[in-house]
Amino acid sequence: MSTLILGGGMTGLAAGSVSGLPVFEALADPGGICSSYYIKPGSEERLAVPPADGGAYRFEIGGGHWIFGGDPAVLHFIQTVAPVRRYERVSSIFFPEDKLHVPYPLQYHLRYLDSDVANRALEEMAAPPGQIHSMRDWLVASFGPTLSDLFFERFHELYTAGLHGEVAPQDSYKSPVDLQTARDGASGTAPSVGYNTSYLYPEDGLDSLSRRLADECDMHYNKRVARIDLDAKRVEFADGDRCGFDTIASTLPLNIMMEMCGLELPERPYPHTAVLVLNVGAIRGESCPDSHWVYLPDTKSGFHRVGFYSNVDESFLPTPNTETTQRASIYVERAFPANQKPGEEETRRYADEVVEEMRSWGFIEETEVVDPTWIEVAYTWAWPNSTWKQQAIAALQERGVYQVGRYARWSFQGIADSLRDGFVAGGALKAR
């Protein structure tokens, strides 16, 4: 019997590196959705490492993953393993019909809007909030009907794949509400606020961090878990292998672990949404924004955010990147309901629509790479007044399965906090 770590994302790698326990990863490379890959212009082949000549776009499986917040000791560790650069956030909201860019967050930059709209928004934000049950209720109570109709309702309809009227409010710190700051921003410059006003990214790509952590682990790749027999204390893998265990540290999504362990609760499981991330390498258009990422309240193609890797750092671009060939490395996010992955033909049509829409805005010209990636459990949500998450975590713990990290514990957090959780769990299991 032994202790196993399931999942070779950031949390599992951190746990494996400090404990020496075996880490079982479903894919052929470490990092999970926080991993980079490379594609040369005009090619469709994904490369796990950059070519020697540097002539490839760098993309990430789950879109842009930046290291924000975190315990200072964890940030120090990251910098010793994979040297990083620090960036100050540049993000905006884009209204395609008006070709209007407003700095993020919208409520603190009302001077970009019509004065009547700005004044009405301030009055509504000052009004007492009504009854809050769902995320939609929270949006109206926090920002008022005017800003909700203009942006927040429309954006969250896309972002949650239509769940915002049913799920509980969460992660309010992502878009803070302070009336005085909103008033200041209506007439002048407001300070940069939020949880990710500055962030880090490894100089050699996110894969440099995951690979160096994996080098310190007992890694077992291509080991996708198919079933966990809690009575027999046995993990069964998709390739037919089996492995006994006494204890499991799982970084796999909580709903998936409950299913694989055959556990059910009276309350319905919390919902999740999937994301189709379209990675695009293209010639930069004349109206390409300078933002690191852009939020969208409405698009013909259905996506809700466009990120510009190369606006963060030019290392995401093939070399050379000359004045006559200005490229852009981009990720485009579209949310889907759970377990509704589109087929290949539908994905191709969607990709064509996205490219055409971004061309119409002047964001890009011709494309050199268009590569889709799918994240089934991308964002996690909760039902109002439900304790399913707490019950599920407790049910697994009773049987020696400890959930560790963002998706395992069904909560939003960044890479630094995911590493912290892995270090804590790995150290505790090693000591045990």
Side-chain angles (χ1 to χ4, degrees):
M1 293 293 191
S2 61
T3 299
L4 312 178
I5 298 170
L6 300 184
M10 290 297 178
T11 303
L13 293 172
S17 69
V18 298
S19 68
L21 297 170
V23 179
F24 294 88
E25 165 56 37
L27 303 178
D29 296 289
I33 66 171
C34 295
S35 55
S36 307
Y37 67 98
Y38 303 82
I39 299 182
K40 293 183 177 182
S43 173
E44 296 182 357
E45 181 185 4
R46 291 186 184 181
L47 305 174
V49 296
D53 63 3
Y57 287 97
R58 179 199 295 145
F59 300 121
E60 290 175 4
I61 293 292
H65 280 94
W66 319 109
I67 302 170
F68 56 82
D71 185 278
V74 175
L75 297 179
H76 172 72
F77 168 82
I78 292 171
Q79 294 180 67
T80 61
V81 173
V84 298
R85 298 189 181 111
R86 179 174 292 276
Y87 306 91
E88 300 302 316
R89 184 191 69 204
V90 182
S91 61
S92 62
I93 298 99
F94 179 56
F95 297 91
E97 290 185 4
D98 301 319
K99 296 191 180 300
L100 173 66
H101 289 270
V102 179
Y104 170 89
L106 176 65
Q107 65 272 20
Y108 294 163
H109 295 90
L110 297 178
R111 66 188 182 279
Y112 285 80
L113 305 178
D114 180 85
S115 60
D116 290 341
V117 173
N119 291 332
R120 189 163 63 250
L122 288 172
E123 291 176 2
E124 292 170 353
M125 281 191 282
Q131 186 175 8
I132 297 175
H133 178 74
S134 67
M135 177 179 286
R136 176 186 282 150
D137 298 334
W138 178 82
L139 294 171
V140 175
S142 300
F143 306 109
T146 297
L147 291 186
S148 291
D149 291 344
L150 180 66
F151 172 71
F152 290 100
E153 163 74 19
R154 295 155 67 189
F155 171 79
H156 282 81
E157 171 74 22
L158 297 174
Y159 173 50
T160 67
L163 282 176
H164 67 305
E166 302 177 62
V167 295
Q170 65 185 56
D171 304 333
S172 60
Y173 62 88
K174 290 183 179 181
S175 193
V177 183
D178 179 81
L179 189 57
Q180 186 56 53
T181 305
R183 287 170 176 156
D184 292 342
S187 57
T189 303
S192 184
V193 297
Y195 68 100
N196 57 0
T197 55
S198 67
Y199 55 90
L200 308 175
Y201 187 81
E203 293 179 0
D204 297 327
L206 198 54
D207 55 318
S208 66
L209 175 59
S210 59
R211 290 185 186 282
R212 287 166 192 169
L213 281 169
D215 287 343
E216 301 175 9
C217 297
D218 177 14
M219 296 297 301
H220 300 259
Y221 294 111
N222 297 309
K223 290 294 181 183
R224 184 175 298 278
V225 179
R227 179 175 177 269
I228 299 173
D229 188 329
L230 293 175
D231 294 328
K233 291 285 188 177
R234 183 176 63 236
V235 176
E236 301 174 5
F237 297 98
D239 63 3
D241 282 354
R242 298 182 175 188
C243 186
F245 69 88
D246 178 50
T247 304
I248 290 176
S250 167
T251 69
L252 306 185
L254 182 58
N255 61 332
I256 292 175
M257 280 299 293
M258 291 290 285
E259 291 174 6
M260 290 193 299
C261 291
L263 297 177
E264 294 184 2
L265 296 171
E267 294 193 40
R268 60 175 173 166
Y270 282 176
H272 72 270
T273 46
V275 168
L276 176 60
V277 175
L278 201 65
N279 284 317
V280 179
I283 304 302
R284 188 181 180 92
E286 61 179 11
S287 298
C288 187
D290 294 326
S291 296
H292 297 168
W293 55 87
V294 176
Y295 301 98
L296 295 136
D298 186 37
T299 60
K300 295 177 181 177
S301 311
F303 56 93
H304 62 271
R305 180 163 61 177
V306 178
F308 297 84
Y309 298 113
S310 49
N311 284 351
V312 176
D313 199 286
E314 285 199 351
S315 63
F316 283 91
L317 297 174
T319 54
N321 187 47
T322 66
E323 292 185 3
T324 56
T325 310
Q326 284 294 316
R327 291 182 166 109
S329 182
I330 301 169
Y331 60 96
V332 181
E333 298 180 56
R334 178 180 172 182
F336 282 80
N339 305 309
Q340 292 191 23
K341 182 179 180 179
E344 290 186 12
E345 184 59 34
E346 184 180 349
T347 300
R348 277 194 294 270
R349 286 197 303 270
Y350 166 69
D352 291 341
E353 291 169 0
V354 169
V355 168
E356 182 56 36
E357 191 160 9
M358 290 199 294
R359 279 178 179 157
S360 72
W361 299 340
F363 282 15
I364 61 172
E365 295 180 6
E366 64 267 27
T367 58
E368 297 182 312
V369 175
V370 179
D371 188 64
T373 68
W374 178 261
I375 311 300
E376 176 55 46
V377 182
Y379 292 100
T380 56
W381 312 100
W383 301 122
N385 305 315
S386 172
T387 59
W388 174 84
K389 178 179 82 169
Q390 293 82 356
Q391 293 180 48
I393 291 173
L396 289 166
Q397 283 180 184
E398 289 175 1
R399 294 159 175 81
V401 179
Y402 295 90
Q403 293 291 105
V404 187
R406 173 176 175 175
Y407 294 104
R409 299 190 71 83
W410 214 259
S411 62
F412 178 81
Q413 65 187 44
I415 291 172
D417 287 342
S418 295
L419 288 170
R420 175 207 60 203
D421 289 355
F423 290 142
V424 170
L429 291 169
K430 178 181 181 180
R432 184 173 181 237

